[in-house]
PDB file of all heavy atoms in Angstrom:
ATOM      1  N   CYS A 318     -29.689  11.545 -13.904  1.00  0.00           N
ATOM      2  CA  CYS A 318     -30.215  10.237 -14.400  1.00  0.00           C
ATOM      3  C   CYS A 318     -30.004   9.149 -13.462  1.00  0.00           C
ATOM      4  O   CYS A 318     -29.596   8.026 -13.875  1.00  0.00           O
ATOM      5  CB  CYS A 318     -29.779   9.950 -15.812  1.00  0.00           C
ATOM      6  SG  CYS A 318     -30.093  11.102 -17.111  1.00  0.00           S
ATOM      7  N   VAL A 319     -30.261   9.425 -12.186  1.00  0.00           N
ATOM      8  CA  VAL A 319     -30.004   8.398 -11.090  1.00  0.00           C
ATOM      9  C   VAL A 319     -31.085   7.252 -11.313  1.00  0.00           C
ATOM     10  O   VAL A 319     -32.276   7.525 -11.318  1.00  0.00           O
ATOM     11  CB  VAL A 319     -30.205   9.006  -9.744  1.00  0.00           C
ATOM     12  CG1 VAL A 319     -29.928   8.022  -8.582  1.00  0.00           C
ATOM     13  CG2 VAL A 319     -29.164  10.185  -9.598  1.00  0.00           C
ATOM     14  N   PRO A 320     -30.587   5.989 -11.285  1.00  0.00           N
ATOM     15  CA  PRO A 320     -31.639   4.912 -11.482  1.00  0.00           C
ATOM     16  C   PRO A 320     -32.417   4.760 -10.282  1.00  0.00           C
ATOM     17  O   PRO A 320     -32.172   5.232  -9.174  1.00  0.00           O
ATOM     18  CB  PRO A 320     -30.726   3.650 -11.715  1.00  0.00           C
ATOM     19  CG  PRO A 320     -29.350   3.984 -11.097  1.00  0.00           C
ATOM     20  CD  PRO A 320     -29.280   5.475 -11.196  1.00  0.00           C
ATOM     21  N   ASP A 321     -33.605   3.972 -10.456  1.00  0.00           N
ATOM     22  CA  ASP A 321     -34.668   3.830  -9.364  1.00  0.00           C
ATOM     23  C   ASP A 321     -34.043   3.083  -8.170  1.00  0.00           C
ATOM     24  O   ASP A 321     -34.578   3.204  -7.118  1.00  0.00           O
ATOM     25  CB  ASP A 321     -35.797   3.093  -9.913  1.00  0.00           C
ATOM     26  CG  ASP A 321     -36.655   3.947 -10.821  1.00  0.00           C
ATOM     27  OD1 ASP A 321     -36.456   5.230 -10.750  1.00  0.00           O
ATOM     28  OD2 ASP A 321     -37.512   3.385 -11.592  1.00  0.00           O
ATOM     29  N   ASP A 322     -33.019   2.185  -8.439  1.00  0.00           N
ATOM     30  CA  ASP A 322     -32.637   1.331  -7.250  1.00  0.00           C
ATOM     31  C   ASP A 322     -31.571   2.187  -6.517  1.00  0.00           C
ATOM     32  O   ASP A 322     -30.905   1.507  -5.585  1.00  0.00           O
ATOM     33  CB  ASP A 322     -31.988  -0.004  -7.737  1.00  0.00           C
ATOM     34  CG  ASP A 322     -30.780   0.181  -8.619  1.00  0.00           C
ATOM     35  OD1 ASP A 322     -30.556   1.368  -9.202  1.00  0.00           O
ATOM     36  OD2 ASP A 322     -30.005  -0.796  -8.738  1.00  0.00           O
ATOM     37  N   MET A 323     -31.378   3.448  -6.760  1.00  0.00           N
ATOM     38  CA  MET A 323     -30.470   4.203  -5.894  1.00  0.00           C
ATOM     39  C   MET A 323     -31.190   5.310  -5.164  1.00  0.00           C
ATOM     40  O   MET A 323     -31.989   5.964  -5.694  1.00  0.00           O
ATOM     41  CB  MET A 323     -29.368   4.893  -6.954  1.00  0.00           C
ATOM     42  CG  MET A 323     -28.060   4.253  -6.799  1.00  0.00           C
ATOM     43  SD  MET A 323     -26.905   5.024  -7.865  1.00  0.00           S
ATOM     44  CE  MET A 323     -25.380   4.660  -6.975  1.00  0.00           C
ATOM     45  N   HIS A 324     -30.820   5.437  -3.835  1.00  0.00           N
ATOM     46  CA  HIS A 324     -31.433   6.476  -3.016  1.00  0.00           C
ATOM     47  C   HIS A 324     -30.537   7.726  -3.182  1.00  0.00           C
ATOM     48  O   HIS A 324     -29.291   7.677  -3.385  1.00  0.00           O
ATOM     49  CB  HIS A 324     -31.375   6.005  -1.539  1.00  0.00           C
ATOM     50  CG  HIS A 324     -32.170   4.886  -1.351  1.00  0.00           C
ATOM     51  ND1 HIS A 324     -33.613   4.873  -1.187  1.00  0.00           N
ATOM     52  CD2 HIS A 324     -31.938   3.474  -1.160  1.00  0.00           C
ATOM     53  CE1 HIS A 324     -34.105   3.678  -0.972  1.00  0.00           C
ATOM     54  NE2 HIS A 324     -32.985   2.800  -1.019  1.00  0.00           N
ATOM     55  N   ILE A 325     -31.104   8.794  -2.986  1.00  0.00           N
ATOM     56  CA  ILE A 325     -30.503  10.148  -2.951  1.00  0.00           C
ATOM     57  C   ILE A 325     -30.548  10.708  -1.608  1.00  0.00           C
ATOM     58  O   ILE A 325     -31.651  10.945  -1.113  1.00  0.00           O
ATOM     59  CB  ILE A 325     -31.161  11.028  -4.048  1.00  0.00           C
ATOM     60  CG1 ILE A 325     -30.978  10.431  -5.425  1.00  0.00           C
ATOM     61  CG2 ILE A 325     -30.546  12.491  -3.964  1.00  0.00           C
ATOM     62  CD1 ILE A 325     -31.782  11.154  -6.534  1.00  0.00           C
ATOM     63  N   LEU A 326     -29.404  10.931  -1.017  1.00  0.00           N
ATOM     64  CA  LEU A 326     -29.338  11.472   0.379  1.00  0.00           C
ATOM     65  C   LEU A 326     -28.565  12.726   0.439  1.00  0.00           C
ATOM     66  O   LEU A 326     -27.557  12.938  -0.363  1.00  0.00           O
ATOM     67  CB  LEU A 326     -28.641  10.392   1.276  1.00  0.00           C
ATOM     68  CG  LEU A 326     -29.343   9.023   1.356  1.00  0.00           C
ATOM     69  CD1 LEU A 326     -28.519   8.075   2.201  1.00  0.00           C
ATOM     70  CD2 LEU A 326     -30.726   9.198   1.935  1.00  0.00           C
ATOM     71  N   PHE A 327     -28.895  13.604   1.331  1.00  0.00           N
ATOM     72  CA  PHE A 327     -28.190  14.775   1.657  1.00  0.00           C
ATOM     73  C   PHE A 327     -27.745  14.608   3.144  1.00  0.00           C
ATOM     74  O   PHE A 327     -28.544  14.473   4.073  1.00  0.00           O
ATOM     75  CB  PHE A 327     -29.022  16.087   1.509  1.00  0.00           C
ATOM     76  CG  PHE A 327     -29.601  16.196   0.134  1.00  0.00           C
ATOM     77  CD1 PHE A 327     -30.937  15.950  -0.091  1.00  0.00           C
ATOM     78  CD2 PHE A 327     -28.762  16.608  -0.979  1.00  0.00           C
ATOM     79  CE1 PHE A 327     -31.456  16.028  -1.302  1.00  0.00           C
ATOM     80  CE2 PHE A 327     -29.342  16.666  -2.195  1.00  0.00           C
ATOM     81  CZ  PHE A 327     -30.690  16.391  -2.411  1.00  0.00           C
ATOM     82  N   ILE A 328     -26.425  14.535   3.376  1.00  0.00           N
ATOM     83  CA  ILE A 328     -25.939  14.227   4.755  1.00  0.00           C
ATOM     84  C   ILE A 328     -24.904  15.392   5.097  1.00  0.00           C
ATOM     85  O   ILE A 328     -24.045  15.765   4.357  1.00  0.00           O
ATOM     86  CB  ILE A 328     -25.255  12.864   4.767  1.00  0.00           C
ATOM     87  CG1 ILE A 328     -26.301  11.789   4.276  1.00  0.00           C
ATOM     88  CG2 ILE A 328     -24.646  12.561   6.181  1.00  0.00           C
ATOM     89  CD1 ILE A 328     -25.712  10.361   4.319  1.00  0.00           C
ATOM     90  N   GLY A 329     -25.146  15.805   6.312  1.00  0.00           N
ATOM     91  CA  GLY A 329     -24.149  16.879   6.795  1.00  0.00           C
ATOM     92  C   GLY A 329     -22.809  16.328   6.940  1.00  0.00           C
ATOM     93  O   GLY A 329     -22.543  15.132   6.941  1.00  0.00           O
ATOM     94  N   GLY A 330     -21.782  17.219   7.149  1.00  0.00           N
ATOM     95  CA  GLY A 330     -20.462  16.785   7.332  1.00  0.00           C
ATOM     96  C   GLY A 330     -19.574  16.724   6.118  1.00  0.00           C
ATOM     97  O   GLY A 330     -18.394  16.355   6.198  1.00  0.00           O
ATOM     98  N   GLY A 331     -20.122  17.056   4.965  1.00  0.00           N
ATOM     99  CA  GLY A 331     -19.258  17.091   3.739  1.00  0.00           C
ATOM    100  C   GLY A 331     -18.800  15.760   3.350  1.00  0.00           C
ATOM    101  O   GLY A 331     -19.142  14.734   3.800  1.00  0.00           O
ATOM    102  N   ALA A 332     -17.808  15.830   2.321  1.00  0.00           N
ATOM    103  CA  ALA A 332     -17.205  14.549   1.786  1.00  0.00           C
ATOM    104  C   ALA A 332     -16.420  13.901   2.868  1.00  0.00           C
ATOM    105  O   ALA A 332     -16.334  12.624   2.807  1.00  0.00           O
ATOM    106  CB  ALA A 332     -16.479  14.880   0.481  1.00  0.00           C
ATOM    107  N   THR A 333     -15.798  14.623   3.607  1.00  0.00           N
ATOM    108  CA  THR A 333     -14.874  14.135   4.775  1.00  0.00           C
ATOM    109  C   THR A 333     -15.578  13.186   5.568  1.00  0.00           C
ATOM    110  O   THR A 333     -15.019  12.136   6.001  1.00  0.00           O
ATOM    111  CB  THR A 333     -14.213  15.284   5.475  1.00  0.00           C
ATOM    112  OG1 THR A 333     -13.484  16.099   4.525  1.00  0.00           O
ATOM    113  CG2 THR A 333     -13.258  14.775   6.523  1.00  0.00           C
TER     114      THR A 333
END
Side-chain angles (χ1 to χ4, degrees):
C318 301
V319 180
D321 288 344
D322 66 340
M323 252 180 150
H324 298 282
I325 296 170
L326 301 174
F327 305 104
I328 302 180
T333 300

